[in-house]
Amino acid sequence: MTIPIENIYFLLCYAWDKLDERDIVSVQAQEHTQLLDLLTRVLLNGTTYLLKRGIDRQYLPQQHAYAGVKGKFLLGETLKHPSLMATHTQCEFDEFSVDILHNQLLYTTLRHLLRCEDVHQGLHQSIRSLLPKLSGIQEVTLSERLFQSVRLHRNNAFYGFLMNCCELIHQNLLLNEQTGKYRFRDFWQDERQMARLFEAFVRNFYKRELSDARVYREDIRWQMEATATDLSLLPKMQTDISIEWHNRKTLIDTKFYSETLRTYFDAQKIHAPHLYQLFAYLQNHPDAQEGILLYPVVSHQVGAAYQRGTQRIRVETIHLAQPWQSIREDLLRLVG
């Protein structure tokens, strides 16, 4: 399955819930554009926007030798440096600094992109021109923990979009230790990453597009009686997407697989574990009228429906290679 770059970008923006920021950055995806180049342009345009608006700063505690006294005088630290005591004192004070975590992650990612062979050379030059404007920011060792440590608020929320881009790039840059260069992995061919992206995309799409609906993830309680100890052994049931809309409740379970159907003895069949999982959800959630297994189209489209008493089960596909407006219409039709 080949998904156009523009559609992958839309999927990312919906999954991150950053459609407004996408419009601010204003990056156009052409057919020949590579995804990494597109993400690099997002960081370049986004950083330029930040510099024009005013890059984020915070007060950070600093400790320095100071001619005189500034902030908190550190007597013990001063006594440790007798050669400086005549002219300087060790002081601790707060300094309004750009050297804060989200700026460091952005700066470091741009530095890594300079060493990535898959980035267009013209973009390398744009990064080199931009980096001097980020003086005072240190490079850090990127990790998932650091990205999870970022704390933003309403006044600097735009950074969230850039942090999402930086984290995605970090997750898929592979370092060649012999050359010190990076290569970008085609993450859309990674079923695990794409499964998370596809689920978040569908959920946030419905949250935004169905303004009068309640769209959320939901824990389903097993409809069985047992001791607390025995109940604790049961696996957790949590929907990917629950939609309450027009007096109807729909449970959607998204799947991203290289093949929508499985071949059993030369016959095409629905993935049994997927169907069993959805069936268990409905069996233990009598208030739900419908359950949908939703896959991206791989080789052919599927649209199958089954009735179980008052509940309906559907297996559906969405074609992610078609024009974006058609994707939108198909998703709305799915729950309409």
Side-chain angles (χ1 to χ4, degrees), residues 20-291:
D20 296 337
E21 288 83 347
R22 174 187 63 86
D23 294 334
I24 292 174
V25 170
S26 185
V27 174
Q28 298 299 317
Q30 306 297 330
E31 283 188 19
H32 62 274
T33 303
Q34 299 299 312
L35 179 61
L36 182 58
D37 287 346
L38 184 69
L39 294 174
T40 302
R41 287 198 189 99
V42 168
L43 294 186
L44 287 169
N45 289 6
T47 305
T48 300
Y49 170 79
L50 288 174
L51 290 167
K52 289 179 179 178
R53 192 188 68 173
I55 196 166
D56 202 20
R57 299 168 184 264
Q58 293 176 8
Y59 282 103
L60 298 178
Q62 304 287 334
Q63 183 177 318
H64 292 297
Y66 191 75
V69 177
K70 181 178 181 180
K72 181 181 178 181
F73 170 53
L74 302 176
L75 176 60
E77 292 298 320
T78 301
L79 293 175
K80 291 179 182 178
H81 303 85
S83 61
L84 293 176
M85 286 177 59
T87 56
H88 290 75
T89 59
Q90 290 289 329
C91 299
E92 184 178 271
F93 51 91
D94 288 338
E95 187 172 78
F96 205 39
S97 173
V98 296
D99 194 27
I100 53 180
L101 180 57
H102 37 285
N103 286 337
Q104 291 171 344
L105 295 174
L106 178 59
Y107 177 77
T108 302
T109 303
L110 289 169
R111 296 280 302 179
H112 285 188
L113 289 172
L114 270 182
R115 295 161 53 196
C116 182
E117 299 172 338
D118 298 314
V119 175
H120 190 276
Q121 288 302 311
L123 294 175
H124 278 165
Q125 185 55 48
S126 297
I127 295 172
R128 290 191 187 94
S129 299
L130 184 64
L131 286 177
K133 299 176 184 178
L134 300 175
S135 61
I137 301 173
Q138 297 184 60
E139 192 170 348
V140 294
T141 301
L142 297 183
S143 67
E144 294 300 310
R145 183 188 61 79
L146 274 187
F147 282 105
Q148 292 168 7
S149 300
V150 173
R151 296 292 179 266
L152 302 176
H153 49 76
R154 185 174 61 182
N155 292 337
N156 61 7
F158 178 75
Y159 272 92
F161 183 43
L162 303 185
M163 291 299 98
N164 288 139
C165 290
C166 288
E167 186 172 12
L168 180 65
I169 291 170
H170 164 65
Q171 290 170 344
N172 293 281
L173 279 186
L174 305 176
L175 177 64
N176 184 326
E177 295 186 359
Q178 292 182 337
T179 64
K181 299 288 186 180
Y182 289 98
R183 297 303 303 266
F184 187 71
R185 178 178 58 177
D186 294 342
F187 80 93
W188 55 91
Q189 297 178 10
D190 182 330
E191 286 186 356
R192 285 190 176 184
Q193 284 196 70
M194 287 303 296
R196 292 193 297 268
L197 171 61
F198 186 52
E199 176 192 333
F201 155 65
V202 175
R203 183 168 51 250
N204 285 336
F205 173 87
Y206 285 128
K207 279 184 179 180
R208 180 174 284 260
E209 300 295 334
L210 303 180
S211 57
D212 55 344
R214 185 182 177 210
V215 181
Y216 58 107
R217 299 190 72 170
E218 176 183 15
D219 290 340
I220 299 176
R221 182 179 176 274
W222 288 91
Q223 299 299 305
M224 294 188 291
E225 294 186 4
T227 66
T229 300
D230 290 349
L231 286 173
S232 69
L233 300 176
L234 293 172
K236 182 177 181 179
M237 287 193 293
Q238 185 181 63
T239 63
D240 290 344
I241 305 150
S242 293
I243 302 177
E244 295 179 19
W245 194 43
H246 293 169
N247 298 318
R248 188 175 84 236
K249 185 160 193 173
T250 300
L251 310 182
I252 300 179
D253 209 39
T254 61
K255 303 295 182 184
F256 198 98
Y257 277 73
S258 57
E259 295 296 336
T260 306
L261 300 175
R262 293 284 303 275
T263 301
Y264 293 92
F265 301 104
D266 298 325
Q268 294 288 295
K269 302 289 185 180
I270 299 167
H271 289 260
H274 302 171
L275 192 58
Y276 297 156
Q277 180 182 12
L278 185 61
F279 187 78
Y281 287 178
L282 291 172
Q283 203 171 31
N284 289 277
H285 201 318
D287 295 336
Q289 288 82 30
E290 184 176 52

